[in-house]
PDB file of all heavy atoms in Angstrom:
ATOM      1  N   ASN A  21      -4.249  12.954   3.396  1.00 91.00           N
ATOM      2  CA  ASN A  21      -4.800  13.870   2.391  1.00 91.00           C
ATOM      3  C   ASN A  21      -4.845  15.310   2.907  1.00 91.00           C
ATOM      4  O   ASN A  21      -5.876  15.978   2.888  1.00 91.00           O
ATOM      5  CB  ASN A  21      -6.196  13.407   1.967  1.00 91.00           C
ATOM      6  CG  ASN A  21      -6.213  11.962   1.502  1.00 91.00           C
ATOM      7  OD1 ASN A  21      -5.276  11.490   0.865  1.00 91.00           O
ATOM      8  ND2 ASN A  21      -7.270  11.241   1.842  1.00 91.00           N
ATOM      9  N   VAL A  22      -3.663  15.786   3.362  1.00 92.00           N
ATOM     10  CA  VAL A  22      -3.596  17.079   4.040  1.00 92.00           C
ATOM     11  C   VAL A  22      -3.222  18.211   3.084  1.00 92.00           C
ATOM     12  O   VAL A  22      -3.836  19.280   3.111  1.00 92.00           O
ATOM     13  CB  VAL A  22      -2.595  17.014   5.204  1.00 92.00           C
ATOM     14  CG1 VAL A  22      -2.399  18.375   5.848  1.00 92.00           C
ATOM     15  CG2 VAL A  22      -3.080  16.011   6.247  1.00 92.00           C
ATOM     16  N   ILE A  23      -2.181  18.001   2.266  1.00 94.00           N
ATOM     17  CA  ILE A  23      -1.734  19.041   1.341  1.00 94.00           C
ATOM     18  C   ILE A  23      -1.505  18.423  -0.034  1.00 94.00           C
ATOM     19  O   ILE A  23      -1.541  17.203  -0.200  1.00 94.00           O
ATOM     20  CB  ILE A  23      -0.441  19.727   1.826  1.00 94.00           C
ATOM     21  CG1 ILE A  23       0.719  18.730   1.875  1.00 94.00           C
ATOM     22  CG2 ILE A  23      -0.653  20.398   3.175  1.00 94.00           C
ATOM     23  CD1 ILE A  23       2.084  19.389   2.099  1.00 94.00           C
ATOM     24  N   ALA A  24      -1.234  19.289  -1.012  1.00 95.00           N
ATOM     25  CA  ALA A  24      -0.995  18.824  -2.378  1.00 95.00           C
ATOM     26  C   ALA A  24       0.309  18.046  -2.462  1.00 95.00           C
ATOM     27  O   ALA A  24       1.345  18.484  -1.965  1.00 95.00           O
ATOM     28  CB  ALA A  24      -0.963  20.002  -3.336  1.00 95.00           C
ATOM     29  N   ALA A  25       0.254  16.883  -3.077  1.00 96.00           N
ATOM     30  CA  ALA A  25       1.413  16.016  -3.290  1.00 96.00           C
ATOM     31  C   ALA A  25       2.155  16.455  -4.551  1.00 96.00           C
ATOM     32  O   ALA A  25       1.694  17.336  -5.287  1.00 96.00           O
ATOM     33  CB  ALA A  25       0.932  14.575  -3.421  1.00 96.00           C
ATOM     34  N   PRO A  26       3.318  15.854  -4.839  1.00 95.00           N
ATOM     35  CA  PRO A  26       4.062  16.217  -6.053  1.00 95.00           C
ATOM     36  C   PRO A  26       3.272  16.032  -7.351  1.00 95.00           C
ATOM     37  O   PRO A  26       3.588  16.675  -8.350  1.00 95.00           O
ATOM     38  CB  PRO A  26       5.273  15.286  -6.004  1.00 95.00           C
ATOM     39  CG  PRO A  26       5.508  15.072  -4.552  1.00 95.00           C
ATOM     40  CD  PRO A  26       4.139  14.984  -3.950  1.00 95.00           C
ATOM     41  N   ASP A  27       2.264  15.159  -7.363  1.00 93.00           N
ATOM     42  CA  ASP A  27       1.475  14.972  -8.577  1.00 93.00           C
ATOM     43  C   ASP A  27       0.289  15.927  -8.667  1.00 93.00           C
ATOM     44  O   ASP A  27      -0.512  15.847  -9.596  1.00 93.00           O
ATOM     45  CB  ASP A  27       0.996  13.526  -8.688  1.00 93.00           C
ATOM     46  CG  ASP A  27      -0.055  13.159  -7.649  1.00 93.00           C
ATOM     47  OD1 ASP A  27      -0.251  13.945  -6.683  1.00 93.00           O
ATOM     48  OD2 ASP A  27      -0.681  12.083  -7.788  1.00 93.00           O
ATOM     49  N   GLY A  28       0.157  16.841  -7.697  1.00 92.00           N
ATOM     50  CA  GLY A  28      -0.906  17.840  -7.730  1.00 92.00           C
ATOM     51  C   GLY A  28      -2.167  17.473  -6.988  1.00 92.00           C
ATOM     52  O   GLY A  28      -3.006  18.331  -6.739  1.00 92.00           O
ATOM     53  N   THR A  29      -2.323  16.215  -6.621  1.00 94.00           N
ATOM     54  CA  THR A  29      -3.509  15.789  -5.871  1.00 94.00           C
ATOM     55  C   THR A  29      -3.300  16.040  -4.382  1.00 94.00           C
ATOM     56  O   THR A  29      -2.178  15.991  -3.875  1.00 94.00           O
ATOM     57  CB  THR A  29      -3.795  14.299  -6.097  1.00 94.00           C
ATOM     58  OG1 THR A  29      -2.686  13.524  -5.614  1.00 94.00           O
ATOM     59  CG2 THR A  29      -4.002  14.007  -7.573  1.00 94.00           C
ATOM     60  N   VAL A  30      -4.379  16.288  -3.661  1.00 95.00           N
ATOM     61  CA  VAL A  30      -4.278  16.533  -2.214  1.00 95.00           C
ATOM     62  C   VAL A  30      -4.282  15.175  -1.510  1.00 95.00           C
ATOM     63  O   VAL A  30      -5.290  14.725  -0.961  1.00 95.00           O
ATOM     64  CB  VAL A  30      -5.421  17.437  -1.724  1.00 95.00           C
ATOM     65  CG1 VAL A  30      -5.269  17.740  -0.230  1.00 95.00           C
ATOM     66  CG2 VAL A  30      -5.441  18.731  -2.511  1.00 95.00           C
ATOM     67  N   THR A  31      -3.125  14.512  -1.544  1.00 94.00           N
ATOM     68  CA  THR A  31      -3.019  13.147  -1.019  1.00 94.00           C
ATOM     69  C   THR A  31      -1.809  12.944  -0.126  1.00 94.00           C
ATOM     70  O   THR A  31      -1.500  11.815   0.254  1.00 94.00           O
ATOM     71  CB  THR A  31      -2.955  12.129  -2.175  1.00 94.00           C
ATOM     72  OG1 THR A  31      -1.928  12.518  -3.094  1.00 94.00           O
ATOM     73  CG2 THR A  31      -4.284  12.052  -2.919  1.00 94.00           C
ATOM     74  N   ALA A  32      -1.082  13.999   0.203  1.00 96.00           N
ATOM     75  CA  ALA A  32       0.099  13.861   1.044  1.00 96.00           C
ATOM     76  C   ALA A  32      -0.294  13.668   2.508  1.00 96.00           C
ATOM     77  O   ALA A  32      -1.330  14.160   2.963  1.00 96.00           O
ATOM     78  CB  ALA A  32       1.006  15.072   0.910  1.00 96.00           C
ATOM     79  N   THR A  33       0.553  12.958   3.238  1.00 95.00           N
ATOM     80  CA  THR A  33       0.323  12.646   4.653  1.00 95.00           C
ATOM     81  C   THR A  33       1.153  13.567   5.542  1.00 95.00           C
ATOM     82  O   THR A  33       2.315  13.843   5.241  1.00 95.00           O
ATOM     83  CB  THR A  33       0.705  11.187   4.947  1.00 95.00           C
ATOM     84  OG1 THR A  33      -0.216  10.326   4.272  1.00 95.00           O
ATOM     85  CG2 THR A  33       0.663  10.886   6.442  1.00 95.00           C
ATOM     86  N   LYS A  34       0.555  14.005   6.632  1.00 94.00           N
ATOM     87  CA  LYS A  34       1.242  14.806   7.640  1.00 94.00           C
ATOM     88  C   LYS A  34       1.564  13.915   8.833  1.00 94.00           C
ATOM     89  O   LYS A  34       0.668  13.320   9.435  1.00 94.00           O
ATOM     90  CB  LYS A  34       0.358  15.970   8.088  1.00 94.00           C
ATOM     91  CG  LYS A  34       1.001  16.932   9.074  1.00 94.00           C
ATOM     92  CD  LYS A  34       0.012  18.048   9.413  1.00 94.00           C
ATOM     93  CE  LYS A  34       0.626  19.095  10.324  1.00 94.00           C
ATOM     94  NZ  LYS A  34      -0.353  20.177  10.634  1.00 94.00           N
ATOM     95  N   ILE A  35       2.864  13.765   9.152  1.00 91.00           N
ATOM     96  CA  ILE A  35       3.287  12.991  10.320  1.00 91.00           C
ATOM     97  C   ILE A  35       3.568  13.969  11.459  1.00 91.00           C
ATOM     98  O   ILE A  35       4.338  14.920  11.289  1.00 91.00           O
ATOM     99  CB  ILE A  35       4.542  12.154  10.017  1.00 91.00           C
ATOM    100  CG1 ILE A  35       4.257  11.137   8.909  1.00 91.00           C
ATOM    101  CG2 ILE A  35       5.019  11.435  11.264  1.00 91.00           C
ATOM    102  CD1 ILE A  35       5.453  10.292   8.531  1.00 91.00           C
ATOM    103  N   VAL A  36       2.928  13.737  12.619  1.00 88.00           N
ATOM    104  CA  VAL A  36       2.986  14.685  13.724  1.00 88.00           C
ATOM    105  C   VAL A  36       3.445  13.976  14.995  1.00 88.00           C
ATOM    106  O   VAL A  36       2.977  12.881  15.315  1.00 88.00           O
ATOM    107  CB  VAL A  36       1.603  15.315  13.981  1.00 88.00           C
ATOM    108  CG1 VAL A  36       1.702  16.422  15.036  1.00 88.00           C
ATOM    109  CG2 VAL A  36       1.006  15.857  12.688  1.00 88.00           C
ATOM    110  N   THR A  37       4.372  14.600  15.734  1.00 84.00           N
ATOM    111  CA  THR A  37       4.732  14.097  17.054  1.00 84.00           C
ATOM    112  C   THR A  37       3.673  14.513  18.066  1.00 84.00           C
ATOM    113  O   THR A  37       2.946  15.484  17.873  1.00 84.00           O
ATOM    114  CB  THR A  37       6.092  14.649  17.503  1.00 84.00           C
ATOM    115  OG1 THR A  37       5.956  16.051  17.757  1.00 84.00           O
ATOM    116  CG2 THR A  37       7.160  14.411  16.472  1.00 84.00           C
ATOM    117  N   LEU A  38       3.604  13.767  19.165  1.00 75.00           N
ATOM    118  CA  LEU A  38       2.690  14.116  20.257  1.00 75.00           C
ATOM    119  C   LEU A  38       3.491  14.526  21.479  1.00 75.00           C
ATOM    120  O   LEU A  38       4.715  14.440  21.500  1.00 75.00           O
ATOM    121  CB  LEU A  38       1.783  12.928  20.593  1.00 75.00           C
ATOM    122  CG  LEU A  38       0.746  12.542  19.530  1.00 75.00           C
ATOM    123  CD1 LEU A  38      -0.083  11.378  20.021  1.00 75.00           C
ATOM    124  CD2 LEU A  38      -0.155  13.723  19.191  1.00 75.00           C
ATOM    125  N   ALA A  39       2.813  14.967  22.502  1.00 64.00           N
ATOM    126  CA  ALA A  39       3.479  15.434  23.725  1.00 64.00           C
ATOM    127  C   ALA A  39       3.885  14.260  24.602  1.00 64.00           C
ATOM    128  O   ALA A  39       3.541  14.165  25.772  1.00 64.00           O
ATOM    129  CB  ALA A  39       2.571  16.384  24.481  1.00 64.00           C
ATOM    130  N   THR A  40       4.609  13.331  24.016  1.00 64.00           N
ATOM    131  CA  THR A  40       5.154  12.187  24.744  1.00 64.00           C
ATOM    132  C   THR A  40       6.562  11.934  24.242  1.00 64.00           C
ATOM    133  O   THR A  40       6.920  12.328  23.127  1.00 64.00           O
ATOM    134  CB  THR A  40       4.314  10.908  24.533  1.00 64.00           C
ATOM    135  OG1 THR A  40       4.239  10.634  23.134  1.00 64.00           O
ATOM    136  CG2 THR A  40       2.917  11.063  25.107  1.00 64.00           C
ATOM    137  N   THR A  41       7.367  11.289  25.060  1.00 62.00           N
ATOM    138  CA  THR A  41       8.711  10.916  24.620  1.00 62.00           C
ATOM    139  C   THR A  41       8.621   9.568  23.924  1.00 62.00           C
ATOM    140  O   THR A  41       8.437   8.543  24.570  1.00 62.00           O
ATOM    141  CB  THR A  41       9.667  10.843  25.812  1.00 62.00           C
ATOM    142  OG1 THR A  41       9.653  12.103  26.465  1.00 62.00           O
ATOM    143  CG2 THR A  41      11.074  10.517  25.360  1.00 62.00           C
TER     144      THR A  41
END
Side-chain angles (χ1 to χ4, degrees):
N21 306 323
V22 174
I23 64 169
D27 69 347
T29 62
V30 183
T31 52
T33 292
K34 184 179 184 180
I35 298 179
V36 186
T37 69
L38 292 181
T40 57
T41 303

